[in-house]
Every structure is written in C-alpha cells, then in structure tokens.
C-alpha cells in the first residue's frame, strides 16, 4: 500500500513546499502592510510619545537572533538524515523567543504602556508583538509534534522558520529600533 506522506513522493513534497511558500508570502505581505502602517504612525508623531516608557532594544534583538538561529538550524536539519538535534535546537530557540517576547511585553505593560491609554504607540508595540508571537506558537507546536518523527519533511518547517525570522526582523525594525 502506498504511503500518503509527502516524504514518500518527491512530487508531493514539492507541492507541499510550493503551498507553504505561497501561504507564507501572503502572510508576509500582511506583516509588511502592518509594518508600513507603523512607519506611517512614526512619521506623524514622536516615537515614543511623551509620557510613555521607551522601548528596550537588546531583548527584542535577542529574540530576532533566536528566530534567525532557529531558521538556520531547520535548514541544516532539512539536509540531514538524522535531524533531531537541529529540530531540538530550533525548538529551544523558538521557545526562547516566546519567553523573551512575553517578558518584554509584560514588562512594558507593567511600566505603563497599556491599551487603550497608550494609543497607537501601545497598539503597535503590543499588537505587532503579540501577533508575531502568535505566529511562532504554531512553529513550536508543529516542530514538537512532527519534527522529531523519523523521516520528517523539514523543508516546509525551514521555510516557516525563515518567515518567522524575516517578520521578526520587520517587527524589530518597525517597533523597537529608532
């Protein structure tokens, strides 16, 4: 009986990679539109507005580096027969990003950067930060559930890792860097 997994047929694997690529490009355009909207807001008023806490830079940069490291590990794992180490490293890096992002957003909330009082500034910080973190969660869940299987197709997960790293850099540049 033929297997229904993409690993068994190269044409099925290519189709899944194509589908993942198209879907991620659509999500990437969505993130790009949000980043441009934040850029427009930054041109209209001082960033950060008076009376609101300034944003950290080091921890958000660490988060972006963690996502880039996860993407690199997934690409390396996609080229290996035994990729458990690469998957474990990528999974740890993505969980690390979620911890850093949660710490940054909760610290800013406690410092007074709240919705709706913080206006567009708080909306950009918490909205883009939480939206991006919400996209990392499926990466963590998918790797945890499927990445350690024997013969797992890691190429689509590597593409998802690229998406997370690129959108993480976009959010970093739009929100945290001045």
């Amino acid at each position: 009986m033929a297997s229904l997994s993409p690993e068994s047929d190269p044409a099925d694997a290519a189709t899944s990679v194509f589908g993942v690529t198209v879907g991620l490009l659509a999500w990437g355009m969505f993130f790009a539109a949000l980043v441009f909207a934040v850029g427009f807001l930054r041109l209209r008023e001082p960033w950060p507005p008076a009376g609101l806490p300034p944003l950290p830079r080091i921890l958000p940069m660490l988060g972006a580096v963690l996502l880039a490291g996860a993407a690199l590990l997934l690409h390396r794992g996609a080229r290996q027969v035994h990729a458990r180490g690469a998957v474990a490293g990528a999974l740890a890096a993505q969980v690390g990003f979620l911890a850093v992002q949660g710490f940054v957003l909760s610290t800013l909330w406690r410092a007074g950067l709240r919705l709706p009082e913080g206006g567009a500034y708080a909306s950009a910080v918490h909205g883009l930060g939480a939206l991006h973190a919400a996209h990392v969660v499926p990466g963590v869940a998918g790797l945890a559930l499927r990445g350690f299987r024997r013969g797992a197709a890691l190429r689509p997960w590597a593409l998802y890792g690229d998406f997370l790293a690129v959108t993480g850099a976009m959010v970093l540049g739009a929100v945290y860097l001045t």
Side-chain angles (χ1 to χ4, degrees), residues 76-124:
R76 193 171 98 204
R79 292 189 305 267
Q80 296 175 347
V81 175
H82 302 290
R84 288 180 179 254
V87 170
L91 188 59
Q94 288 179 351
V95 169
F97 166 81
L98 289 173
V100 166
Q101 187 74 346
F103 178 77
V104 167
L105 293 178
S106 65
T107 301
L108 288 170
W109 189 273
R110 286 191 306 274
L113 186 61
R114 294 195 173 102
L115 297 169
E117 302 89 50
Y121 177 66
S123 295

Side-chain angles (χ1 to χ4, degrees), residues 3-56:
S3 171
L4 297 178
S5 70
E7 298 86 21
S8 63
D9 184 9
D12 287 346
T15 301
S16 70
V17 167
F18 177 74
V20 167
T21 301
V22 170
L24 293 178
L25 286 172
W27 274 110
M29 288 187 289
F30 174 69
F31 269 95
L34 291 174
V35 164
F36 278 109
V38 169
F40 177 74
L41 291 173
R42 289 182 69 163
L43 290 174
R44 293 183 53 211
E45 59 187 55
W47 194 266
L52 292 176
L55 298 176

